[in-house]
């Protein structure tokens, strides 16, 4: 708007309209995209959308909302990736610009899991994790996982070698070689007594002139050797020939394994002065006993 006045005070007012052509704007006036960082590093598998803030503006549009498009490239392992992010901004005048940002995603976080607790088992039991406890609730945000274990056995001194400990080292690892370890102690105890294997370990009848009472056999699940002993309530009747007489002797058989577990069996010995002191029933019992003993040795 302009105003003109002559010497006599006459005024005139007018308006001049100026038109600007946007096509004449210099190429350098395209939108400017501002990145806080050209390269961005993410730990683990964080959401790549949550990186830094990007700004864009131009002479035609001071507040442009930038957009992006990603190209995902594989990294050295399945949890590592490289994202080539291209930002673009277009203003109201149709001018546009682009900017490249590189996002590095590095899987450096170990997987999570619930490891089995320490436990105590009986000697001879299975050492499989199905019985002693296994890893559960395995979780890794970035990649697949595998797990394994190694055992180290500690054996105590003395005769009871069955009472031992196994130190089981569990290791869980993901595809980027991030790992987590835990130790499980498995204590092995031998608390079960041996068992007599001689069949029909029952009462027996013997003669004073032929005292021959076989020692019964015993075995144990864990111990390699079992010691069998006995105690008689009237031992002199069996050890002193002059004292032998018609009587009844109570013999207690004991079987002891390497860890001191004991089993006892009571046997009644029907002692006769002469062979003809036996009743026919006693003789039958005696014959059956020795037959059973012989069969147990042959099997």
């Amino acid at each position: 708007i302009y105003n003109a006045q002559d010497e006599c005070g006459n005024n005139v007012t007018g308006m001049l309209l100026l038109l600007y052509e946007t096509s004449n704007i210099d190429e350098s006036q395209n939108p400017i995209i501002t990145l806080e960082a050209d390269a961005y590093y993410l730990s683990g598998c964080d959401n790549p959308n949550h990186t830094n803030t990007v700004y864009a503006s131009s002479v035609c549009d001071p507040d442009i909302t930038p957009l992006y498009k990603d190209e995902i490239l594989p990294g050295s392992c399945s949890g590592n990736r490289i994202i080539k992010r291209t930002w673009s901004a277009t203003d109201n005048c149709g001018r546009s610009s682009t900017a490249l940002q590189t996002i590095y995603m590095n899987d450096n976080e170990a997987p999570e899991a619930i490891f089995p607790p320490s436990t105590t088992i009986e000697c001879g039991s299975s050492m499989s994790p199905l019985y002693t406890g296994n890893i559960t609730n395995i979780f890794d945000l970035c990649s697949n996982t595998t797990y394994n274990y190694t055992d180290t056995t500690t054996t105590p001194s003395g005769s009871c070698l069955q009472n031992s400990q196994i130190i089981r080292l569990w290791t869980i690892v993901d595809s980027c070689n991030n790992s987590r370890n835990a130790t499980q102690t498995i204590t092995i105890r031998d608390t079960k007594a041996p068992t007599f294997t001689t069949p029909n370990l029952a009462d027996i009848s013997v003669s004073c002139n032929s005292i021959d009472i076989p020692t019964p056999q015993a075995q144990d699940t864990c111990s390699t050797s079992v010691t069998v002993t006995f105690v008689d309530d009237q031992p002199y009747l069996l050890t002193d020939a002059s004292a032998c007489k018609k009587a009844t002797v109570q013999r207690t058989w004991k079987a002891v394994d390497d860890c001191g577990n004991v089993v006892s069996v009571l046997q009644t010995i029907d002692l006769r002065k002469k062979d003809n002191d036996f009743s026919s029933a006693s003789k039958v019992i005696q014959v059956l006993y020795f037959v059973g003993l012989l069969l147990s040795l042959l099997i």
Side-chain angles (χ1 to χ4, degrees), residues 2 14 21 30 33 40 57 127 136 153 163 204 210 223 228 289:
Y2 62 90
E21 185 179 354
N30 283 347
I33 300 175
Y40 199 84
S57 63
M127 296 301 301
T136 58
T153 302
N163 287 350
I204 188 172
S210 181
S223 298
V228 178
Y289 172 78

Side-chain angles (χ1 to χ4, degrees), residues 15 17 25 39 47 52-53 100 104 109 131 150-151 154 190 198 201 209 214 226-227 241 265 291 298:
M15 177 180 293
L17 179 63
I25 297 178
N47 191 337
N52 50 19
T53 305
L100 180 63
Y104 299 92
E109 297 180 359
Y131 301 95
T150 56
D151 288 343
T154 59
D190 182 4
T198 300
L201 182 58
N209 58 9
V226 178
T227 302
V265 175
V291 170
L298 293 177

Side-chain angles (χ1 to χ4, degrees), residues 146-296:
T146 58
Y147 66 88
N148 57 66
Y149 64 86
T150 56
D151 288 343
T152 302
T153 302
T154 59
T155 303
S157 59
S159 60
C160 186
L161 303 180
Q162 293 76 17
N163 287 350
S164 58
Q165 278 191 338
I166 293 179
I167 307 301
R168 178 164 289 178
L169 178 62
W170 290 94
T171 301
I172 181 171
V173 60
D174 65 16
S175 59
C176 290
N177 210 32
N178 301 301
S179 63
R180 191 178 299 276
N181 300 321
T183 299
Q184 178 192 23
T185 300
I186 302 173
T187 302
I188 302 174
R189 289 289 179 263
D190 182 4
T191 62
K192 291 184 177 180
T195 57
F196 283 102
T197 58
T198 300
N200 301 322
L201 182 58
D203 300 342
I204 188 172
S205 296
V206 296
S207 173
C208 286
N209 58 9
S210 181
I211 300 176
D212 185 13
I213 304 174
T215 300
Q217 302 297 312
Q219 67 180 13
D220 188 78
T221 303
C222 300
S223 298
T224 56
S225 63
V226 178
T227 302
V228 178
T229 60
F230 66 86
V231 176
D232 294 332
D233 64 343
Q234 301 181 80
Y236 63 92
L237 295 177
L238 300 175
T239 59
D240 187 354
S242 62
C244 186
K245 63 179 181 179
K246 184 178 180 180
T248 300
V249 178
Q250 299 294 329
R251 171 168 289 185
T252 302
W253 291 99
K254 290 185 178 181
V256 184
D257 66 13
D258 294 335
C259 294
N261 301 301
V262 181
V263 61
S264 299
V265 175
L266 182 63
Q267 183 183 40
T268 299
I269 302 174
D270 188 14
L271 189 60
R272 294 289 184 267
K273 187 68 176 178
K274 300 177 181 179
D275 288 339
N276 58 9
D277 288 337
F278 300 122
S279 65
S280 59
S282 297
K283 292 181 179 180
V284 171
I285 292 175
Q286 186 176 12
V287 170
L288 290 176
Y289 172 78
F290 282 105
V291 170
L293 177 62
L294 179 60
L295 290 176
S296 68

Side-chain angles (χ1 to χ4, degrees), residues 1-4 11-15:
I1 299 174
Y2 62 90
N3 181 62
N11 296 312
V12 63
T13 301
M15 177 180 293

